[in-house]
Each structure stands twice: as structure tokens, then as C-alpha cells.
Amino acid sequence: MSHGVTRDLGTLWVVDPVAELAGAANVALRDGRIERVDWRDGAEAAAARFRAGGEPDLGDPTDLLLPALIDLHAHFRQPGAAASEDAASGERAAAHGGYGTVCLMPNSEPAADSAEILASMVRVDGARRGVRLLPIGAATRGRAGTALAPLANLAAAGAIGFSDDGSPIADAALFRAALIGAGALGLPVIEHAEAPHLTAGGEAADGAVATRLGMRPWPSAGEIEAVARDIALLREALATEPRVRLHLTHLSTAAALDLVRSARAEGLPVSCDVTPHHIAFTDRWIAGDRRWAWELVAHGSSDRSADQSSALDPTPEAFDSNVRVCPPLRGADDAAACRAALRDGTALAIATDHAPHSRERKEMEFGLAANGIAGIETALSVALAARAAGELSLATIARSFVTGPASLLPAAHASRGISVGAPADLVVIAAAATWTPSRATLAGKSLNTPLIGRALPGVVRLTLVSGVVVWEAPER
Ligand SMILES: [Zn+2]
């Protein structure tokens, strides 16, 4: 389709989590490959800089160069809900977000439980941009949770894992069978951990906000109990199939992350991810308080200070259905635990759970609105906002968006980083610039994000996949 790009990128702040290098470097591309990476202070200094967090000093370049980002969890609504998003608009949105690779959840309509539907999830009508779309197959037929989907057929058709996302695989025997079946194919089960008997009808995290606003609680126990069960069944399944691998997506509670941390310390093949909204937003956003999670003093959940509870009076922004999400937004402590999990590697990725919804599915009473936030275009900016607050280093961000998610994928999809000779799979970010999400600036079809109108750090200037430009911002 297009020729690989030939271009001198100039001197940027380069963070390569594959080689674990960071520093100012002059980078040039030729015919779609990286032709030159000249580290200003040498490769040894770049290795030391990466270990120290990958951050530049005052006076260093502020434009960042990272490998193109990888999203483990997105919904492009194809087939079934093209008014909300389709593969073509999703690809545009991903490219704008700095992504080169996106894994698509199988809760299309119908669910991706056959090779045909799996293929239709990633079919782009018209010209392709070139963002890699990797389908995840349904774990059970119709995601109904009663019989296994044909896992081997789905794997042969390109599934990179199996999930009933949107729902957990509630039946224990079936969950265990899915782990074993997927493991035998060398693929993970990607589980939406939720104990439905505890969460039915839940609207908001259990806590002061739900109480103050009179909302039905979705308790932390709904996630913690599910994760405990999943890890217990993983341990059992491992006795049958040593290649079993469990990935828990969008974890949101400190206690569930602790369970994963312990299980990993024990050597169990379990990993997890957290979302941009769970690291940066809190349940107070439902009441209209739009401070970042790290701007709130993190108290023990039973210890809310007087000034925090008075601020719970709902503002005109309250009950915005764009902050209705599953699992729900939680308190500042849980958000802090999600960031800590990224820093210590318990969570290997920031995964967007990009869940676009047309206005028809969101403009209604909070508890009736569809769950989800359209987040693939703002994920990197949210992470950079956390960075500005000293919460996440560039090294952690690069791991969470590149090498961490890549480690869950088949080896063919591994990032080759920013090394001479590698295909140009890159994103250039003007980290000191800001942008404001709006209908005019977002490339996806849906606007269901509470970040509309809010200035965010980090403008994606250029996204390259396999040496081809998939996104280039207008001239500054
Ligand atoms: Zn989910």
C-alpha cells in the first residue's frame, strides 16, 4: 500500500523499554526502518537513565519517542454496534492515541465465538491505516457461560487469547476448562473478575459516595472474591496443563491487586492490568468532583476527613453517565494501589477498556446507562498527567504501554523497540504540549468520556506502524 517512511526525526527524548534505554538521541528512519539511533551520552548512560526512571533533566528535549503503544483491551463494536465505533474508526482513534497494536474484546454482537465472527471483528471497510488489530476469542459459546467456545478454531483464526469480557466465566468447572483448553494452545484466558451474586444491580463502589448519592453499591468484595476464586482454580488447572496462563483485566481494588502480587511471588502464571480511569479517576467523579485521584489525600477507606465529605455535595456535573464503568470507579486509596501495582510490576499494563457508546446508550439515568468510557485517545495523556504529579515515571509508562502488554501476546507480536534495523513502530509525543478532547479533536465515533473539554498533557504528533505513518498531527 504505502512505502516505508524515510525521515530524520531529529533529537528527541527516547525511552525504549525493550532495550531498557532512555536519553536524548538523534533518530533517523529509512524505508520504514530505524536507520540510526545516536545516544547523545552513550548507551551506558542511557541504560543507567532508564533504571533511574527514564526522566529527562531540565534542558533535555521534551518531545518523546516511544515504541508504538499496545492496548490489551478495547471494544471496537464490530459487528453489532457500528454507530458507537467500528474497526475503521477504532483504528483512527487508536492511531491518534499512539497505538500500533490493539487487542479487541469478543463481546461484539454476535459474540466472537466462531472463526467467521472473529474475522469480521477486525475487517476494515475501505483503506486500512495499518494499526494491528488482534482479536480475542470468546471463551464460551455466545459468551453465555454454559459451554466452551471452539478454542482451537478460534486460535487457528488468529485469536490471541480468550475472554467473556463484559462478564466473568462464572461457572467454576467451565472456567477451569477454559484455562486448560487455552493453555494447551499456548494462549491466556483474559478474565473480567466479578462475582455476579455480589454485584447485581451495582451502580457505584461501596463507600461514602454511593451512600451520599443513594446509589446501589458494587462492593470491592465483588472483585476480590472473584480474583481469589480465579487464582485457586488457576492453581488446580496448572496441575493438568503446565502452559495455563491467567490474565485478570481491569482490576480496581487494592486487595485484589495484593492477591495477584502474592500469587506472582509464589510463581503462579497470573498477570493483570489496570485502566487509565482506575488509576486517575475516583468515585467522587460521580458526584461531580473532577480532581485527579492523586490530588485527593488518600485516607483509609473508613477514615474520610471532614473537608472531603463536605465536598461530596453533588455539583452540576454529578451523575454524568460517562463515568459509569464496570468495575466502578473507586476511592483514592484503590486508585493509588493501581498506580503502585504498575510501579512494582504486579500490573503489567495499562489497558484502556476503550468502550465507546453512542449517545443513545449513555444519555439516560445513571444506573440505566451502558457501562464504559471511550479512552483509547486519552490513555497516554492520563498516564502523562500521573507522571506530571510524580506518580508514574517514563520508564513505568513505557513498560505499561509496550513491553508489559507485549508479554501477554504471541512472540510474533513482540515489540522490537527502538533499535537500528527494527521496523519503525513508533510514537512521537509532544509531552510539553496540551490538547483538549472534543468532537473536533477526537477521531473515534463516540464522545463518552468525562475528559471532554479538559486540557490534557501530551500531544501525539506521529504514529508509525511497520514503517508506515498511521497518524500525523497537523503542523503546530
Ligand atoms: Zn470487562
Side-chain angles (χ1 to χ4, degrees), residues 73 75 105 164-167 191-194 249-250 326-327 353:
H73 186 148
H75 304 271
M105 279 296 178
D164 276 359
D165 184 52
S167 318
E191 179 67 348
H192 165 128
E194 175 177 354
T249 189
H250 56 51
C326 178
D353 196 0

Side-chain angles (χ1 to χ4, degrees), residues 173-200:
L174 202 56
F175 180 76
R176 191 172 165 279
L179 280 173
I180 292 169
L185 297 162
L187 296 175
V189 167
I190 303 173
E191 179 67 348
H192 165 128
E194 175 177 354
H197 67 280
L198 296 175
T199 61

Side-chain angles (χ1 to χ4, degrees), residues 441-457:
T441 57
L442 291 172
K445 282 190 183 179
S446 294
L447 298 176
N448 56 304
T449 162
L451 297 174
I452 297 287
R454 180 169 185 148
L456 299 176

